[in-house]
Amino acid sequence: MSDLPVRAVPRPVRSRGQWSFSALALPVSGVLAWGAQDHAARASVPQPGQGTAENIHVHAAPVPPVEYLPQANPVGQPIRMPATVHHPSGHQYDWGVFNRDNGEAAGFGPVGRYGVARWAEDWSTLRNRAKRDDPFDVLKYIPLTRSGSVWISFSGETRARNWFENRPVLGAAHVADSGRFTVRNLYGADLHLGTHVRLYGELINADAGGWRPYGYGSTYRKQLDAQQAFIEVKGHVAGAKAGFMFGRQAFLDMPAYVLYYRMSSSVPLAWNGFRAYAAWSRVRVDAWDFVGTDISPHGMFHDTEDYSTRLYGVETTWAPPDFTFLGQAGYSFLDLFYFGTKAGGGISGVSAPSFAVQQGMATRNNFGGRWHGIAGPVEFSVGGIWQGGAFRATGPDSPSRPINAWSFSSNAGYRLPHDRFHTFVGMQADVFSGGDARRNTVGTYSQPFNPQLTYVDASLTVSESNMVDIGPEVRMTFFRSLSVMARYPLYWRYSTQAPVSRPGALQYAYHYNGSFIGMAPQATLTWQIGPHLSWGQTLSRFMTSAALNHAGGSSGTYYMSNLSFRF
């Protein structure tokens, strides 16, 4: 339903010798669209010549969810993305049932008004100038030939992010208070050479500063360089929409809690290699083989391939037949995948018997699956992974150690029916195995290549290794542009034979004997200021356990502000 003002269109109706007026109720905006939800707004209008009043019922459209930009969000808001939220002409390509929800099932990341992977957006419908209703539409479709078969689309993002942290990293950073600020620019061009060939390029630069900052590196500061540069050839093969992509590119065809786009820092994750995909009506397959990108060299356009870092695998998604649950429609997706990772240095280190970090090279083979979808008012996601492989410590004649680790992730909740705030109430629970300090087999689960870190902890204090977490969450939408998410997770170590892990490192400088790590009540407020501007704020208080405090840990407060401009 489009946003139009309420108009009472009088139509005389002859009834039992009297004249009355009926009203045509049209979609509403403003206060009625914001505040009304599944109930009628009533107004009294006097009849001609009569002192009595007649009720006019104006049915308001449900409050749509706020779009998180960018955000992978398998369960909770905004999993139900009504068509009124999407831009009428800017959207992802037609992948059929895989476009449901926020479009992640298609394998190209979440899509709202704009996507995480900007090359996954389809602006070809702007050939029809009548569909252009935004000042930036002039940049989204520029024909280069008279027929319009060759055209180019431009995209951009400027993001300013700042943090305040009190005793960050549970005190392990040895900083009482820290304020950090980062800014990045991502600007791309998508050149279509007919319907089967496309070239995409994206530039990045980033900078960082602050007072008492810590942890800044090449992922926060970047001189102008190529973030993505690839060629895609696509068409119909064996009844499927298929394509082959070669070059430097983003890759998001995994559950977000397994592999994401490195959104917490400034420079997103990019890979070099090939990707092949095919999508039928209810089955799709994706295969890839990549090496990493070395972003550490200084200077403009100095990024190179990192052949010591690899990501390869195959993934398939099946959309089972739709069903009915509690009298409401339901549907789901089943993902089955294998992917291998190879990485060295600190991101692949394991804990030694002395609880020190032993660096080396790790090859991890991951076999897993995930089932997620909507069953009437219930929204759910459940998945598991088993990791095998081997770890070899740095140094001459270091023996190889086998890897035997696993993880389980779940998130489920209930969408309150007929609720004016579109309330979602759920529970998240995860287990990530740990324990490799006192045995030959490495038992600590690890994902070296940037999962969606906020999936576990919005303050980025703990990460997906050697940990058990559980906690409730609530999401609510107010008006058309304001949404709140609140969580209260509790954390334990899975094994006391491995240290507490956190993003970017395997352990803290201190260790303790207990299992309970602490709890971290947290809330995120998202304000979609306009079509191109969003502002998100996150507040979290990590309250450490008594055992961790006794070992030298400390509770801390985290605040983050994220202002993004996108077109």
Side-chain angles (χ1 to χ4, degrees), residues 409-453:
S409 301
S410 65
N411 197 334
Y414 183 78
R415 181 81 62 183
L416 300 185
H418 312 297
D419 177 65
R420 63 182 300 180
F421 300 126
H422 209 61
T423 303
F424 172 84
V425 180
M427 181 73 70
Q428 178 176 325
D430 309 280
V431 183
F432 306 97
S433 69
D436 45 59
R438 303 181 185 277
R439 59 179 182 174
N440 184 55
T441 300
V442 176
T444 298
Y445 175 89
S446 176
Q447 290 295 352
F449 301 136
N450 290 95
Q452 185 189 9
L453 299 177

Side-chain angles (χ1 to χ4, degrees), residues 161-165 178-182 220 264 558-560:
R161 171 173 285 185
N162 63 282
W163 299 263
F164 167 78
E165 294 176 274
S178 173
R180 295 186 288 170
F181 178 82
T182 64
Y220 289 91
S264 57
Y558 174 92
Y559 168 78
M560 184 272 290

Side-chain angles (χ1 to χ4, degrees), residues 469-490:
D469 70 88
I470 187 170
E473 76 171 46
V474 177
R475 299 172 185 259
M476 304 177 71
T477 298
F478 305 94
F479 312 114
R480 289 179 58 88
S481 60
L482 198 64
S483 188
V484 174
M485 181 274 288
R487 299 176 57 214
Y488 203 115
L490 290 81

Side-chain angles (χ1 to χ4, degrees), residues 462 465-469 490-501 511-519 542 544-548:
V462 293
S465 292
N466 190 37
M467 191 182 66
V468 177
D469 70 88
L490 290 81
Y491 306 100
W492 292 263
R493 283 195 297 177
Y494 176 83
S495 170
T496 58
Q497 301 303 310
V500 176
S501 64
H511 21 270
Y512 70 109
N513 295 322
S515 294
F516 184 52
I517 301 172
M519 60 191 76
F542 202 108
T544 51
S545 67
L548 191 55

